[in-house]
Amino acid sequence: MFKEIKVLKSHGIQYVKNLRMQPVSALFRGRPVISGDITKDEIKTVSFACPVMAIDGKSGSIDMGRCVFCKECSFLLPDKIRFTNDYRISSNVREALIIKPGSENPVQLDENRIRKEIRRLFKSALKLRQVSAGGDNSCEMELVATGNVNFDFGRYGIEFVASPRHADGIVITGPISENMAEPLDITYNAIPSPKIIILAGTDAISGGIFDGSPALDRRFIEQNHIDLFVPGNPLNPLTFINGVMDLLGIK
Amino acid sequence: MDQKLYMEIKNNSLPLDLKEIPVLKYEVFYDQVLAFLKDEGKHCIAYYGVESAGNLKLYCCIADDNNNIVVLFAHELNKDHLVLKSLTPECVQLHIFEREIHENFGVEFEGHTWLKPVRYPYNRKNRSEIINSYPFYNIESEELHEVGVGPVHAGIIEPGHFRFICNGEKVLHLEIQLGYQHRGIEELFITKCNALQRCILSESIAGDTSIGHSLAHSQLIESLAGIQVSEALQIERCIALEMERLAIHIGDTSALCGDVAYQLGQVVCEALRTTIINTTQFWCGNRFGKGLIRPGGSNYPLNNDVVNEILRVLDDTGRRFFEVTDLIYSLPSVLGRFDDIGILTRQQALSLGAVGMTARTSGILRDIRKTHPFQYYKNYLVRPVILETGDVLARGMERVLEVHESVKIIHELIEIWQQKIKDFRKPVYDYNLKPDNFAISMVEGWRGEICHIAITDNSGNIAHYKVKDPSMHNWMALALAVRNQEISDFPICNKSFNLSYCGNDL
């Protein structure tokens, strides 16, 4: 008994009070900011160096849906590109993940394009089924972390469940391997409608570093409407939490 | 003069000229493999095929733990006649390698009793074999029933299919079918020929071992490109690797508690793991250490701020972890679930060629940090934790004791690091690799032995890249450990091994 009390005392209070404003370390690689005066030559240099073709060779914009957040472009041009530690980078609109030179605006959801039933049905409770389809286990571990003692996303009634039958939506990680394409379909079809689809992590959004591999089958992404894109390599739990809260309209 | 029968190569050192690797007749090859593997101090780290015009060359790499060397030899066969006498009946640890060669190239291994698919890669020899058609072992009986689990599991974990044959609650047989995570990694190392792309790929082989795999890759490139790194950087890499080990071991302790419904242990360890990965994030901006390890240099050289943060967190987290594990491993309700459950005997571990934690908890000293030292472990003596009982309790305690050890290692390495001259060299991406060479790189990740092997062509491009995650050896160990256990004990057995799906599937 004394041991338990000692452990509890050392444990203290661990939960993150305000999931909206939790500070993260300065080096965390979140939303990039590209200087408005980046030159054509500089754009050429970094877009050539980018391992995943996330930097547009013409405009110099960075697509966070492709970016693996290696920060190498910023190491090449520290005065022109920097990665802020802003982790609130989820959106329901794919184009919102593309950061243009000169833009310092936070990433937002397009309220008008959120399906009406989502907030009506899921605002006070959202149960999600996770499917890893070629994920490397880092995104998966970060999704587990959203429900842990620190982040405790369950406080809003948002949880991962064991059966697709109990779920209101699916969270996909990984670039979707050919061998997982069918199990993914089956799981998605087992979820009762209406249901939402969340792509968690860069690999799921664009294939990431695996883009172009013949071992993938990404037809699921092309055939279905995606309700939320959560970038990151892996996604940070706070990116997922804030994205889902924005989607559901939780203040 | 007699033909040389094998070449010797050391981990994390110079590559070999391809021409020096002896190509043996199969009879000689066969006898030599068996002769080597009779010795407990040796095990096969890789045995795989490389295709070239009309021919298939099989490379066999065997680690000699007592002499800190890897022996290497090959056999070449004509693609018109792909039949060989299987080594598996004489030496079980080769079963998985022969299965892989069979699946990739269609080699028939005569006498292999379990020639089943490993991962259904996209470029497999027989595309008509699909993942849904896996030939499961079955027993006809009125008394028995089968339980199928997966590929999609109840929790947030990776996919894989488990097929149990049970008598009542008792598991008679478990067969594990993998391949769902196959992304074609080995081929991508060749098609994505940009150095940075390869670094990112290596970090994504298994995201929970980003540091282990990216270190194995960087070491391999440095070996082929003749790049030397400073002792300070070598120490930093070892510290990063130990941080990864700490984080996962603490997280696994949490998950083991979760599986036996001991919530206090679960939440306390979960919070402690957070402190470690947040320290890694403080160092390099990523909780899993992605971006930290690069060939030739570092974008995030260790500095005093990071050192102070690591020391602060280690003191606090270390103390709290030992406090809580002292409690966990004295509770009858926990011990009752762990003790004597899921035993992997020493003999089984040896015959399967188990590596890493799995081997060490069955009484076998296999720790690359000690037996084939790399980076600064060449100058620093690691004290591997060896336990004998091979059950869930041993695998749980192994984690506690290794956390103890890693905390000590990090402290001592930081002290040494402070004496060293720092250089702030940036990563090297425009390297030139030695043409027609063969290089091998091994790292002791938290699961065990990670091995990357590359072969270059005559213009110095990577012609073949092989990745071996420790899980490749160890999945079969899990299948054996649950035999004759209650099926309800499967989750803790599985968690106590915590093997990688994507590391196996590549």
Side-chain angles (χ1 to χ4, degrees), chain A residues 23-225:
Chain A
V24 296
S25 83
L27 281 178
F28 174 75
R29 302 166 227 149
R31 176 173 53 83
V33 173
I34 311 137
S35 164
D37 59 7
I38 188 167
T39 66
K40 279 220 165 77
D41 284 346
E42 287 168 338
I43 291 174
K44 220 169 148 188
T45 310
V46 286
S47 76
F48 181 72
C50 179
V52 284
M53 293 185 291
I55 305 175
D56 186 76
K58 280 191 184 132
S59 66
S61 58
I62 297 182
D63 179 357
M64 288 194 295
R66 298 190 67 87
C67 180
V68 286
F69 298 87
C70 66
K71 208 179 158 179
E72 296 285 344
C73 50
S74 169
F75 293 130
L76 282 173
L77 297 177
D79 300 333
K80 297 295 170 71
I81 299 174
R82 63 193 167 89
F83 279 77
T84 69
N85 65 351
D86 178 9
Y87 51 77
R88 292 176 64 167
I89 50 177
S90 302
S91 182
N92 60 334
V93 187
R94 181 68 182 81
E95 302 80 65
L97 305 182
I98 300 171
I99 307 293
K100 295 191 175 65
S103 166
E104 299 230 17
N105 301 332
V107 176
Q108 278 174 331
L109 274 74
D110 185 342
E111 303 261 336
N112 299 321
R113 285 166 68 177
I114 299 174
R115 286 187 288 138
K116 292 288 168 288
E117 63 267 31
I118 290 182
R119 289 187 173 177
R120 184 166 55 83
L121 294 169
F122 302 137
K123 190 170 177 180
S124 50
L126 176 69
K127 306 292 165 189
L128 295 164
R129 175 60 251 200
Q130 203 276 326
V131 174
S132 169
D136 72 3
N137 205 21
S138 56
C139 283
E140 290 77 359
M141 286 169 89
E142 291 295 50
L143 288 173
V144 173
T146 62
N148 75 9
V149 62
N150 302 103
F151 297 106
D152 185 27
F153 205 15
R155 72 181 89 172
Y156 293 106
I158 300 162
E159 282 169 334
F160 289 94
V161 291
S163 169
R165 296 289 195 218
H166 304 160
D168 305 313
I170 194 167
V171 180
I172 302 168
T173 54
I176 310 189
S177 52
E178 186 188 354
N179 291 344
M180 260 315 274
E182 192 188 353
L184 172 64
D185 265 334
I186 295 172
T187 310
Y188 179 69
N189 290 331
I191 300 173
S193 292
K195 51 190 166 185
I196 66 171
I197 302 178
I198 300 175
L199 298 184
T202 294
D203 289 352
I205 297 173
S206 65
I209 190 69
F210 303 107
D211 184 27
S213 166
L216 306 184
D217 178 354
R218 294 181 53 78
R219 278 175 294 179
F220 182 89
I221 308 289
E222 291 148 25
Q223 288 160 4
N224 290 287
H225 172 78

Side-chain angles (χ1 to χ4, degrees), chain B residues 62-83:
Chain B
I62 292 173
D64 179 348
D65 291 349
N66 296 323
N67 299 308
N68 321 119
I69 52 162
V70 174
V71 295
L72 178 63
F73 47 97
H75 168 67
E76 194 158 21
L77 69 169
N78 194 297
K79 274 205 254 178
D80 299 332
H81 189 66
L82 295 172
V83 183

